[in-house]
Amino acid sequence: MLQIKTPAQLEEFREGLLSKRDPNKPCITLCSGSACHASGSTEVAARLEEELKTQGLADQVDIRRTGCHGFCERGPIIVIHPDEICYFQVQPDDVAEIITETIKGKKIIERLLYTDPVVNEKIIHESRIPFYKNQERLVFGSNGSIDPKSIDDYLAIGGYSALSKALTAMTDLEVLGEVKKANLRGRGGAGFPAGIKWEGSRNAPEPIKYVIVNADEGDPGAYMDRALLEGNPHCILEGLIIGGYAVKANEGYFYVRQEYPLAVINILHAIKEAERYGLLGENILGSGFNFKVHVHQGAGAFVCGESTALMTSLEGKAGEPRPKYVRSNVKGLWERPSVLNNVETWANVPMIINKGADWFTSIGTESSKGTKIFSLVGKITNTGLVEVPMGTTLREIIFTIGGGIPGGRKFKAVQTGGPSGGCIPEDKLDLQVGFDELTKAGSMMGSGGMIAMDEDTCMVDVARYFIAFLTDESCGKCVPCREGLRQMHRILTNITQGKGKEGDIELLEELAETAVEASLCALGKSAPNPFLSTLKYFREEYEAHIREKRCPALSCKELINFYIDPEKCRACGTCRKQCPASAINGDKKIIHIIDQDKCTKCGTCFEVCPTKFGAVTKLSGVPVPPPLPEDQRTIKKKSKENE
Amino acid sequence: MSDIEFEIDGKKVTADKGMTVLEVARKEGIYIPTLCHHEKLEPFGACRVCIVEVESRGSTRLVVSCVYPAEKNIIVRTRSPKVDRIRKTIVELLMAHAPDAPQLLEMAAVYGAVPNRYEKDPSFCIHCGLCVRYCAEVAKKHALGFVDRGVHKEISFIPEIAAKECHACKACFPLCPTSYLQAVFVLTEALSFPDPAKTK
């Protein structure tokens, strides 16, 4: 059994690995993260192996199943090294052609390339694609080049060299000092400086301490932690061991949500591999430092991402936050000093140790250093994971990298920071992303969720949606959160249904104040943000719903009506045939009419009416014009009318 | 060893290490309202009506006094416009469940809470947890607990334990501010371990 006992042995082993790897040998990397798995990458992988075998290339070409590359919109993704040829949306049936044409014949398959929508040009190399080109993938970048199940892959890219440096060339205090100096702030939401948190634990008198990875990622639409856990588990593990050394903890935990099965598998595998290599366990690399790691799966509660609730849950109790005014880095898990950091925070640690705090602080803004991974979803052309330096503007992220809003629609707002974040309007798009910058704008960094919204999105409904999510996820312990959110949700629902009353906004503001000021934990304290930020920037939408019973975005079902413009209807019958409620009357050459009593407002007619007619419209806040008298509904030929 | 000196509502007070602000206030006869607090039980920090303002080193923040530890030189204010506003809202929210609970009516009068401000809810439990915690911490029977989460959270007896222990105890009954506990007990009893004398 291989056991690496000294830093020298580690380097020797690494060199051995590299010498056996031919950089010119073709290697097909295939994204096998959860998103690509869902779009069929497992079948593609099977076909690749089969095809290489039948074409007699099994030992001449490597296949590497990697973690998420981030461009999930276009998965499954294949990159062929060393030429870095990048194919998107690869299906099993494309595989044979890829092997024959590209691997054997060195020819590019145009069809599978990315087309730049602006200049309408095909792009061959991954790094030239605008989505990737404008990112800075310091933490996330290795995902595309390593097999998360292979510790050798991680070692080959320099893995565990930071651990080796920390344990043998630095004292624990020096490691702590470096992280403090780097001003690494928590990537989980609050942005608390990790170094200061670590120092608090280190200085706490209790001798048994813990370090914990918060992998209970639960924000709707956010999956950057999942991508790291699945794609590069060793990087997080290495950061955790270094953290343990710095705070004098000999035990660490991964608290992973149960809904991330692949992450759990990969982390468990990584721990086993690291133990087998002697990078985890007793006397790591001959330093005298001992460290062991456990994995705990959550049971499906969003609130368990909150530090004290997570620790209560780790102890085996119901996941509810603790009311005590004691920081968990001093009294946390089993009343012992416990450092809890988010997945991405831990993943930054090896890099800081390797390259130094001065390098790290050269990236980012005054108060937010390094990069941040954002999960870009919603009404956006390029859905995916995006890593950019702190200080990048929202405009660059959404338009340059994200490719803007699809379907020719207009951008309206971006929701950042997860459910308890806020919505930022268009005139704030030049805001630089950073912890304090986003908070100042009424939103927050959160864990990095970013949901783009277009003009068809109703901001009152957005607030209702997020408050509904949080009401559902409240643990129910304290009154301001449990009862306050319940009532906020009711009032917001009423407003979106046209049942809003004068005074509702003020009532919501009162409930928001109570939740912000008096809730037990951060979930309740930040829960009113979706309401407060949409009220701040889109107050007129609230007023239109309440006073005019009008939804300006034409989105709230109860406040809109579908109407066929008799001037535009050409009686093509498409809407009539597809209406699931049989609510449309009409016939050949007879202008179509929607029976408002039967209409369920599903929107099918609006979707299917040919663009060249555009006869179906949405009305809100105005009465539906009465239908034409039956004798006037016959469509006469235009030419005749002109005569 | 009353070594911690601080101020509550302008009055100099002293505390032993480990005491909470609420304990000190009670000792000094200063009124702070509570719903989920009980002397014999661990602080729960759930109802939040004991919220007070604490000024420390120049900055003021809101804390719940049943949990907040007494600290040297802090200045505690048990009432302020904001504190009163929050207590009013909390009482109003709870009155959506238990509009006629005596404790709530009393507090409503002090803080000007308006009953019927919010849409009513069918359950009159206010989740103070006194019954659950008393049974666990003092009676040490664990005959009832909380089930479910958030707005669906409710108290529930464990029939197997309740059938054996509750008739002789019922120490939690007088603790319930809304009588919901008694209702739940009667229901559990009727469904799971009916009294043979009654069913005849």
Side-chain angles (χ1 to χ4, degrees):
Chain A
M1 191 167 96
L2 174 87
Q3 277 275 334
I4 300 168
K5 293 201 172 75
T6 63
Q9 279 179 18
L10 178 67
E11 289 320 308
E12 204 179 300
F13 182 75
R14 198 193 312 280
E15 274 161 37
L17 276 178
L18 290 172
S19 69
K20 272 181 254 159
R21 293 187 172 201
D22 175 5
N24 294 318
K25 183 179 178 187
C27 174
I28 304 173
T29 64
L30 168 69
C31 175
S32 303
S34 282
C36 280
H37 174 72
S39 47
S41 82
T42 308
E43 291 77 37
V44 175
R47 194 70 78 83
L48 270 174
E49 272 177 37
E50 202 184 291
E51 201 57 41
L52 283 176
K53 232 182 256 168
T54 35
Q55 300 209 26
L57 292 168
D59 49 359
Q60 290 165 50
V61 180
D62 288 332
I63 302 175
R64 187 171 293 147
R65 302 189 61 183
T66 73
C68 178
H69 295 216
F71 203 175
C72 308
E73 177 78 32
R74 304 290 173 120
I77 303 170
I78 272 184
V79 183
I80 300 163
H81 297 277
D83 299 327
E84 210 204 289
I85 297 161
C86 191
Y87 289 148
F88 290 98
Q89 290 172 325
V90 176
Q91 294 305 307
D93 290 342
D94 298 322
V95 169
E97 192 183 346
I98 293 174
I99 308 289
T100 345
E101 292 296 310
T102 310
I103 299 285
K104 279 187 171 167
K106 302 278 170 210
K107 275 183 282 189
I108 305 287
I109 305 167
E110 292 274 322
R111 165 172 58 86
L112 297 172
L113 291 177
Y114 178 78
T115 312
D116 186 324
V118 182
V119 290
N120 204 23
E121 242 170 50
K122 299 275 183 191
I123 301 177
I124 298 170
H125 303 294
E126 189 177 32
S127 57
R128 299 287 303 280
I129 295 166
F131 177 78
Y132 293 110
K133 194 172 71 182
N134 296 296
Q135 297 190 40
E136 195 162 331
R137 308 188 131 208
L138 300 177
V139 178
F140 190 46
S142 307
N143 257 39
S145 52
I146 58 171
D147 176 351
K149 288 259 173 55
S150 160
I151 190 170
D152 287 355
D153 273 10
Y154 185 63
L155 289 170
I157 59 161
Y160 289 105
S161 58
L163 178 68
S164 165
K165 180 179 174 186
L167 292 187
T168 58
M170 293 168 87
T171 65
D172 41 16
L173 257 183
E174 281 168 346
V175 173
L176 174 69
E178 204 63 27
V179 174
K180 254 183 90 177
K181 197 175 155 203
N183 192 15
L184 171 64
R185 296 176 65 175
R187 265 52 175 165
F192 191 82
I196 293 174
K197 196 188 263 187
W198 293 18
E199 192 172 42
S201 275
R202 194 193 146 89
N203 294 342
E206 171 73 45
I208 299 175
K209 305 171 204 281
Y210 302 104
V211 282
I212 309 167
V213 182
N214 186 345
D216 194 49
E217 183 174 56
D219 292 356
Y223 61 106
M224 48 270 142
D225 292 348
R226 186 188 75 197
L228 283 173
L229 290 159
E230 289 178 356
N232 197 354
H234 283 288
C235 175
I236 309 159
L237 185 58
E238 187 181 0
L240 185 69
I241 308 171
I242 295 171
Y245 174 70
V247 304
K248 292 182 176 292
N250 298 106
E251 255 178 284
Y253 284 87
F254 276 83
Y255 187 97
V256 194
R257 68 182 300 197
Q258 202 181 26
E259 295 87 339
Y260 283 180
L262 183 58
V264 173
I265 292 169
N266 287 3
I267 281 292
L268 285 169
H269 185 83
I271 292 169
K272 225 187 246 170
E273 291 276 274
E275 281 170 350
R276 190 162 68 85
Y277 276 40
L279 296 165
L280 198 55
E282 305 278 305
N283 192 19
I284 301 169
L285 296 173
S287 64
F289 176 66
N290 307 326
F291 195 73
K292 63 177 172 190
V293 179
H294 315 271
V295 175
H296 182 95
Q297 291 188 51
F302 176 75
V303 72
C304 285
E306 194 274 340
S307 62
T308 63
L310 184 147
M311 290 178 199
T312 315
S313 166
L314 256 183
E315 289 172 7
K317 301 173 195 147
E320 287 183 359
R322 296 171 182 167
K324 302 248 170 90
Y325 290 94
V326 188
R327 288 197 179 278
S328 51
N329 63 337
V330 177
K331 258 190 181 183
L333 185 58
W334 291 298
E335 302 269 296
R336 290 170 179 151
S338 308
V339 169
L340 176 74
N341 277 133
N342 163 268
V343 167
E344 196 183 334
T345 316
W346 288 117
N348 268 281
V349 172
M351 198 165 66
I352 290 171
I353 296 303
N354 265 335
K355 299 188 181 175
D358 291 334
W359 166 81
F360 189 76
T361 51
S362 69
I363 306 158
T365 67
E366 190 53 40
S367 61
S368 305
K369 301 299 183 190
T371 60
K372 178 77 193 84
I373 308 175
F374 291 99
S375 161
L376 198 53
V377 298
K379 302 285 179 66
I380 190 93
T381 307
N382 301 333
T383 300
L385 295 177
V386 170
E387 183 178 350
V388 290
M390 297 277 191
T392 307
T393 65
L394 286 169
R395 192 183 299 283
E396 284 170 78
I397 297 174
I398 292 162
F399 289 93
T400 315
I401 298 170
I405 313 300
R409 308 302 291 165
K410 201 168 155 300
F411 171 86
K412 184 170 189 175
V414 59
Q415 207 273 352
T416 75
S420 27
C423 293
I424 299 173
E426 199 189 0
D427 62 8
K428 293 246 174 333
L429 270 179
D430 290 312
L431 188 86
Q432 294 186 308
V433 295
F435 293 100
D436 309 317
E437 291 81 354
L438 286 166
T439 306
K440 223 182 280 167
S443 184
M444 60 186 204
M445 179 74 88
S447 61
M450 215 175 249
I451 305 173
M453 296 167 185
D454 67 8
E455 56 192 319
D456 299 332
T457 314
C458 168
M459 300 317 280
V460 184
D461 194 49
V462 165
R464 183 205 56 77
Y465 170 82
F466 284 114
I467 299 282
F469 175 87
L470 291 161
T471 308
D472 216 37
E473 293 296 344
S474 164
C475 81
K477 184 164 178 174
C478 77
V479 181
C481 177
R482 182 188 68 242
E483 301 302 332
L485 290 182
R486 186 207 304 261
Q487 297 294 353
M488 284 185 85
H489 179 235
R490 276 186 188 152
I491 300 166
L492 287 165
T493 306
N494 282 341
I495 296 176
T496 56
Q497 293 178 345
K499 291 181 261 175
K501 302 185 293 287
E502 278 302 326
D504 276 356
I505 294 179
E506 292 71 22
L507 198 55
L508 284 167
E509 284 178 316
E510 251 183 74
L511 290 167
E513 184 195 33
T514 304
V516 169
E517 298 286 358
S519 289
L520 172 59
C521 82
L523 188 151
K525 282 179 192 293
S526 59
N529 276 349
F531 160 69
L532 292 170
S533 71
T534 48
L535 183 71
K536 181 175 175 181
Y537 296 119
F538 301 94
R539 193 183 184 100
E540 68 287 353
E541 289 199 23
Y542 280 88
E543 289 167 351
H545 280 77
I546 295 170
R547 293 182 190 154
E548 303 162 42
K549 310 296 170 204
R550 177 171 68 87
C551 174
L554 302 172
S555 149
C556 292
K557 261 195 180 183
E558 275 83 355
L559 296 180
I560 58 166
N561 289 105
F562 289 89
Y563 171 67
I564 300 172
D565 185 342
E567 299 288 320
K568 293 181 179 168
C569 177
R570 306 313 296 158
C572 69
T574 312
C575 63
R576 176 170 43 87
K577 285 174 209 146
Q578 297 204 34
C579 175
S582 305
I584 300 177
N585 302 316
D587 211 330
K588 271 183 190 165
K589 293 185 184 167
I590 303 288
I591 289 172
H592 286 39
I593 307 282
I594 298 175
D595 182 341
Q596 297 295 335
D597 294 333
K598 279 191 185 169
C599 176
T600 60
K601 299 175 187 176
C602 66
T604 304
C605 53
F606 184 80
E607 301 286 326
V608 299
C609 181
T611 335
K612 59 182 172 181
F613 305 144
V616 182
T617 54
K618 291 190 239 179
L619 302 174
S620 184
V622 289
V624 179
L628 282 182
E630 289 203 26
D631 56 342
Q632 291 171 31
R633 293 188 194 170
T634 313
I635 299 177
K636 295 169 202 136
K637 278 196 179 148
K638 275 238 166 98
S639 51
K640 278 186 184 167
E641 262 171 52
N642 294 342
E643 274 167 14
Chain B
M1 52 159 250
S2 300
D3 48 2
I4 303 167
E5 289 185 4
F6 65 105
E7 202 186 294
I8 304 179
D9 292 344
K11 186 179 176 188
K12 293 262 179 268
V13 294
T14 56
D16 299 336
K17 196 173 181 326
M19 281 177 92
T20 63
V21 167
L22 179 68
E23 284 170 332
V24 182
R26 291 265 156 106
K27 174 178 75 106
E28 298 285 340
I30 299 165
Y31 172 73
I32 297 175
T34 57
L35 285 168
C36 68
H37 178 75
H38 190 285
E39 282 173 359
K40 289 185 181 166
L41 304 177
E42 281 291 309
F44 196 46
C47 76
R48 319 301 282 180
V49 291
C50 70
I51 198 161
V52 294
E53 267 185 24
V54 166
E55 193 182 319
S56 168
R57 288 177 223 106
S59 68
T60 301
R61 62 176 180 142
L62 291 168
V63 302
V64 288
S65 58
C66 69
V67 186
Y68 198 80
E71 270 173 36
K72 214 175 150 187
N73 296 333
I74 55 171
I75 297 166
V76 178
R77 282 181 286 270
T78 65
R79 288 189 77 164
S80 77
K82 200 178 225 177
V83 164
D84 282 14
R85 228 170 28 239
I86 288 167
R87 287 183 188 156
K88 170 179 176 282
T89 304
I90 291 173
V91 172
E92 286 171 348
L93 284 169
L94 293 177
M95 284 181 125
H97 291 272
D100 60 352
Q103 266 178 291
L104 293 179
L105 288 169
E106 218 172 277
M107 281 166 57
V110 179
Y111 299 103
V114 184
N116 305 322
R117 189 117 188 264
Y118 298 102
E119 198 180 308
K120 289 275 180 296
D121 281 289
S123 150
F124 45 104
C125 179
I126 61 164
H127 301 76
C128 64
L130 287 172
C131 52
V132 173
R133 290 148 58 217
Y134 195 91
C135 190
E137 293 175 33
V138 180
K140 299 199 188 302
K141 304 291 185 206
H142 300 273
L144 79 167
F146 280 118
V147 293
D148 221 324
R149 185 176 75 197
V151 295
H152 305 294
K153 190 172 182 171
E154 52 184 28
I155 54 164
S156 180
F157 281 90
I158 294 114
E160 292 79 0
I161 305 175
K164 268 195 291 187
E165 306 288 350
C166 292
H167 283 293
C169 175
K170 292 188 180 170
C172 58
F173 276 35
L175 302 177
C176 180
T178 71
S179 311
Y180 181 67
L181 166 73
Q182 288 88 324
V184 174
F185 181 77
V186 171
L187 182 66
T188 316
E189 188 185 35
L191 294 175
S192 310
F193 51 96
D195 183 346
K198 277 188 203 164
T199 45
K200 261 177 198 167

